[in-house]
Amino acid sequence: RPERTRLVSATEGIVSGRLIEATYLGETTELRVDAGPHGTVIVRRQNGGRTPTEDGPGSVVGEEVGVRWDDDAALALPETSA
């Protein structure tokens, strides 16, 4: 769930990658992170009066960022064979 994830510095993330897109959606901003072999990770951040490019991780497209989530927000899916 994108709303249960958050951007942190690249060294603090459970996964890390490059911010490839930031889309302002009114109350939220959707951020897409290219996490290499982990695919694209989506983060939704509440704006609450902030501008889409306010300081903090994920302020600039192209920036290296980390993505974290709480343990109870993680769901491990079984590997399937093709």
Side-chain angles (χ1 to χ4, degrees), residues 3-79:
E3 63 275 10
R4 304 268 322 255
T5 57
R6 61 190 176 278
L7 292 184
V8 294
S9 71
T11 59
E12 297 175 319
I14 294 170
V15 296
S16 60
R18 186 173 303 281
L19 181 65
I20 56 172
E21 185 177 347
T23 305
Y24 179 74
L25 302 172
E27 293 180 3
T28 62
T29 297
E30 183 175 279
L31 304 146
R32 292 180 180 263
V33 177
D34 177 0
H38 304 290
T40 300
V41 179
I42 300 171
V43 176
R44 286 205 185 109
R45 181 163 66 186
Q46 290 288 326
N47 289 326
R50 297 164 37 144
T51 62
T53 58
E54 188 172 359
D55 291 341
S59 298
V60 179
V61 172
E63 178 182 4
E64 288 291 324
V65 296
V67 181
R68 290 198 64 80
W69 51 85
D70 294 332
D71 290 341
D72 67 344
L75 174 64
L77 301 175
E79 191 171 327

